[in-house]
Amino acid sequence: MLPAQNQTEPGRVPGHIAIIMDGNGRWAKRRMLPRAAGHRRGAEAVRKAVMGCVSQGVKFLTLYAFSSENWKRPPEEVDDLMGLLRLYIRQELQELDENGVRVRFIGDRSRLSDDIRRLIEEAEIKTGANAKLTLIIALNYGSHAEIVRAARDIARDVKAGLVDPDDITEDLFSQRLYTEEIPDPDLVIRTSGEKRLSNFLLWQSAYAELIFLDVLWPDFDESSLAGAIQEYQARERRFGART
Ligand code: FPP
């Protein structure tokens, strides 16, 4: 049973929530701690977000863990983030599996280290049959690159005579994105007060509700999630139609 303040309207919980986890650095700075401490606390908030989605009955949760632009950060910080991801998968996989969480990764894997690539493949295989919640971790992900990759993929098929240009529909295009088979997000949350999408799920979020929270990511917890779901439920979604 969820605590009273975390209760949401059953039946109207967003099926897919996507989160831009922002504010780890500011959280650390306010405490005069190194940025790595903010990222560590950020990884703990990931646990809370995942468990919150499991108890709220959310079916898909996508987390923006590392963008294709994040390589521009100092190498020590990139190492810290990759290290945390490695640790998260190693430490949490068993519990995720026991809770019925399927883990998937989206993004360009070619630049990831061999051991991380192996770890994420193992995690996907081990949890592949779970169906309570699908946790999608965006790693070395960027929407522009994803869309260009899909276009290139379709162009190759056109050149090979496998696809007729007249048959290129929105559905076909969607199937060439990393998110093939994953429904579009209903709700995109960004923490830390910044109001940008930062190259995250641009195609997929065409009709998503956007919620910008003032909380810094390391402070995000089950009640922040419930608050965002309650705000989502208070909004009316019309998909461009009149009611
Ligand atoms: C933004 O904070 C956050 C990130 C760039 C990375 C998010 C990573 C984690 C939460 C940790 C590991 C992830 C998983 C899935 C275990 P920022 O550094 O940009 O913050 P700032 O804008 O305040 O500087």
Side-chain angles (χ1 to χ4, degrees), residues 21-26 35 39 42-43 46 65 70 73 77 81 85 88 217:
M21 309 181 286
D22 195 10
N24 295 351
R26 274 161 285 169
R35 291 178 65 81
H39 293 316
V46 166
N70 285 153
R73 295 193 177 202
E77 188 170 350
L81 286 167
L85 188 85
Y88 178 80
W217 178 252

Side-chain angles (χ1 to χ4, degrees), residues 21 62-71 78 81-86 89 103-113 115-121 124 136-142 178 200-201:
M21 309 181 286
T62 302
L63 298 176
Y64 205 4
F66 194 91
S67 76
S68 31
E69 286 74 34
N70 285 153
W71 295 108
V78 170
L81 286 167
M82 291 297 166
L84 274 172
L85 188 85
R86 215 178 256 124
I89 302 173
V103 187
R104 292 186 54 175
F105 291 82
I106 55 170
D108 178 5
R109 299 182 185 199
S110 66
R111 201 171 162 184
L112 302 176
S113 66
D115 77 305
I116 292 201
R117 230 183 355 249
R118 230 174 297 120
L119 261 181
I120 68 180
E121 281 163 12
E124 287 180 327
I136 300 132
I137 300 181
L139 194 58
N140 193 20
Y141 173 86
Y178 289 122
F200 183 52
L201 301 180

